[in-house]
Amino acid sequence: MYQAISPYVPVLILILLAVLFGVVTLLIAWLVRPNAPYSEKLSPYECGVEPLQPGKLRMSIRFFVIVLLFLLFDVEAVFMYPWAVMYKPLGWWGFIEMALFVIILFVGYIYAWLKGALEWE
Amino acid sequence: MDVLMSDILTALIRIIVVFALALLTVAYLTYLERKVIGHMQVRMGPMRVGPHGLLQPIADGLKLFFKEDIVPTEGYRLTFYFAPILCLVCALILFAVIPFDAKFMISRLNIGLLYILSIASVGVMGIILAGWSSGSKYSLLGGLRSAAQIFSYEIFLGFSLMGPLMIAGSLDLVKIVEAQSVPFIVYQPVAFVIYLIAALGEINRVPFDLPEAESELVAGFHTEYSGMKFAYFFLAEYANMIIVSAIATIVFLAGWKGPILPGWMWFLIKMFIFIYFFIWVRATFPRYRYDQFMRIGWKIMLPLVLANIFVTGVVILFIGGY
């Protein structure tokens, strides 16, 4: 496509342009918009009443467990992309090796399932 | 030197064309969505601004532009501004590798699909940061839900693309299209269905719009946002919808390939079929409950998508490639 530049240069230009668009539009909007704050307007939304507790709640541990599981399977996915691209040249050996890897991960998945990490009550 | 200058000039022209068209399409998608859903519910949709409400997106944009910008007292100011910009930038730079035609794309990366998946993951951080930095209960709950949801469905999204990848043998989007003498939807129907469901989860659309479930969470992670920052989240959401449709077109429907009409027209037709599908789904289905949603993902889709990869692998090895 391009002879003299790396294909990543246009991507970089696009990133710069997108950041510039985001920041500049906010800046221009800052120049033209009204600004009349008062304490009721700035308080966090709570269906019209005074906020009852601070906004920083404790969160459910389930979210943490889900993100841990995500980490596990995302690493698997990252490992599988190059494998999927080279699948035909690798042949049966590639298939067996990936099957072993997935089986090991699947044991962990079944363990998480039996422990109730995938339940939401 | 001349080659360098002409290269940079071509790149710039392409970037500006794609960038402007992307922003325009995103703006008019909001109009399309309101109009289509309106007619599906036997209403007219927006009619007041311009003929058939055609100027509605511009009026909406101007209104948001002139709106007061509010930072809640308990929020973290810097992160509060950073989050919508991150969301928007991550959504817009995804257009860099989309091949609209055999020749027309901003840049052809040999890791195109990986680029899209990785940038899309970074975009999620914007939503989490927005929920956390607002200092509001609804925002935080919406942000957390969104994080868990997008993280979960990203896995299935990635795995569902694995089958077509194994057949095409490349991450380059152009090569994936060129490998499809028959569209991959024929070889990979299961992967296609899983991709569509995962895409709905990934871009927070009904029936999986749990992060912004308006009946329980007000508006989820963007409850506290107003003005242009609110508009950024909307732009990012619709831009992501276009990208997800474009990827479905490229990977499963053979991209720009088709008889008679020029390539880019085929690409747009196929892409808008998916966009229309997403709008149609929104008009049809009620919202899922969060526990049901997570159960579908982790207990049904994940084994199914791994089984699909397994079966694809065995079939490729026995037939020796398609």
Side-chain angles (χ1 to χ4, degrees):
Chain A
M1 267 198 83
Y2 302 109
Q3 282 124 38
I5 52 175
S6 141
Y8 290 92
V9 173
V11 178
L12 205 67
I13 300 174
L14 181 65
I15 292 174
L16 287 178
L17 200 71
V19 173
L20 212 67
F21 170 78
V23 175
V24 168
T25 314
L26 265 190
L27 280 179
I28 297 172
W30 175 67
L31 288 176
V32 295
R33 72 191 171 214
N35 188 21
Y38 49 92
S39 67
E40 281 82 11
K41 193 192 266 177
L42 294 182
S43 72
Y45 179 77
E46 186 128 339
C47 308
V49 298
E50 299 268 312
L52 291 174
Q53 313 151 334
K56 280 120 205 162
L57 303 173
R58 295 183 186 179
M59 65 171 197
S60 168
I61 194 72
R62 302 246 168 254
F63 290 114
F64 184 69
V65 175
I66 286 292
V67 173
L68 275 186
L69 280 173
F70 160 75
L71 216 58
L72 184 75
F73 281 98
D74 214 37
V75 168
E76 182 183 347
V78 166
F79 188 41
M80 274 177 108
Y81 280 114
W83 170 81
V85 170
M86 293 302 291
Y87 184 71
K88 282 174 193 167
L90 284 174
W92 278 106
W93 277 114
F95 180 76
I96 291 166
E97 281 180 17
M98 188 46 79
L100 283 176
F101 180 66
V102 172
I103 285 168
I104 293 168
L105 268 174
F106 219 70
V107 173
Y109 169 70
I110 291 167
Y111 176 76
W113 187 326
L114 293 179
K115 279 281 175 186
L118 307 180
E119 310 291 334
W120 289 74
E121 271 115 27
Chain B
M1 198 61 205
D2 281 347
V3 186
L4 184 71
M5 285 314 289
S6 77
D7 268 5
I8 289 178
L9 209 65
T10 345
L12 266 180
I13 290 168
R14 282 180 168 158
I15 286 168
I16 287 165
V17 167
V18 171
F19 198 80
L21 283 181
L23 282 177
L24 201 70
T25 318
V26 165
Y28 271 89
L29 264 191
T30 60
Y31 172 77
L32 181 75
E33 177 161 35
R34 288 170 71 179
K35 212 65 180 166
V36 168
I37 289 184
H39 280 277
M40 280 176 178
Q41 297 169 344
V42 204
R43 295 183 285 116
M44 295 302 279
M47 285 295 279
R48 297 282 170 194
V49 193
H52 283 268
L54 265 173
L55 298 175
Q56 186 72 42
I58 296 165
D60 283 344
L62 279 177
K63 187 199 81 174
L64 285 169
F65 195 74
F66 287 106
K67 279 279 176 191
E68 186 177 350
D69 195 69
I70 296 166
V71 183
T73 38
E74 291 191 36
Y76 300 89
R77 194 167 254 280
L78 191 66
T79 331
F80 195 71
Y81 277 95
F82 178 64
I85 296 179
L86 182 67
C87 262
L88 180 76
V89 169
C90 286
L92 286 179
I93 62 176
L94 288 175
F95 284 96
V97 290
I98 302 290
F100 297 94
D101 191 78
K103 294 264 157 42
F104 189 79
M105 65 211 85
I106 290 179
S107 182
R108 181 178 169 179
L109 302 185
N110 53 1
I111 52 154
L113 203 56
L114 204 60
Y115 170 85
I116 286 189
L117 288 167
S118 47
I119 298 287
S121 314
V122 179
V124 187
M125 303 302 163
I127 292 180
I128 301 170
L129 281 179
W132 174 76
S133 65
S134 295
S136 160
K137 294 179 194 88
Y138 303 105
S139 302
L140 185 62
L141 282 173
L144 282 175
R145 276 191 185 191
S146 172
Q149 164 175 346
I150 298 180
F151 281 148
S152 305
Y153 275 65
E154 209 171 275
I155 297 171
F156 320 129
L157 194 83
F159 278 145
S160 65
L161 295 174
M162 215 73 85
L165 269 186
M166 283 156 78
I167 305 172
S170 174
L171 284 163
D172 186 347
L173 292 171
V174 179
K175 275 194 189 148
I176 291 177
V177 174
E178 278 165 358
Q180 300 176 62
S181 46
V182 180
F184 282 159
I185 186 174
V186 178
Y187 297 136
Q188 294 281 332
V190 180
F192 177 68
V193 173
I194 292 174
Y195 176 83
L196 277 188
I197 297 172
L200 281 172
E202 179 84 8
I203 56 174
N204 297 332
R205 299 276 306 175
V206 180
F208 301 141
D209 64 336
L210 297 144
E212 37 180 293
E214 56 263 36
S215 49
E216 22 181 322
L217 280 182
V218 190
F221 62 89
H222 53 55
T223 302
E224 298 291 346
Y225 279 89
S226 60
M228 218 48 216
K229 300 209 291 301
F230 176 76
Y232 281 5
F233 282 120
F234 251 78
L235 286 177
E237 191 183 321
Y238 283 90
N240 277 327
M241 195 162 116
I242 297 178
I243 291 292
V244 159
S245 307
I247 296 294
T249 307
I250 292 163
V251 175
F252 292 102
L253 285 189
W256 63 80
K257 283 187 182 171
I260 307 167
L261 293 175
W264 57 271
M265 217 180 258
W266 271 112
F267 186 89
L268 290 182
I269 289 171
K270 289 169 182 172
M271 196 175 85
F272 271 97
I273 289 174
F274 284 108
I275 292 174
Y276 187 80
F277 169 78
F278 289 135
I279 296 173
W280 191 3
V281 165
R282 176 168 176 188
T284 311
F285 287 108
R287 184 177 301 126
Y288 269 77
R289 224 167 57 209
Y290 201 68
D291 61 323
Q292 293 172 331
F293 170 74
M294 287 312 235
R295 190 166 60 230
I296 293 170
W298 285 99
K299 292 191 175 173
I300 298 171
M301 304 246 288
L302 186 63
L304 203 62
V305 82
L306 285 176
N308 181 57
I309 296 174
F310 183 80
V311 171
T312 312
V314 172
V315 170
I316 288 180
L317 286 178
F318 270 116
I319 298 180
Y322 289 93

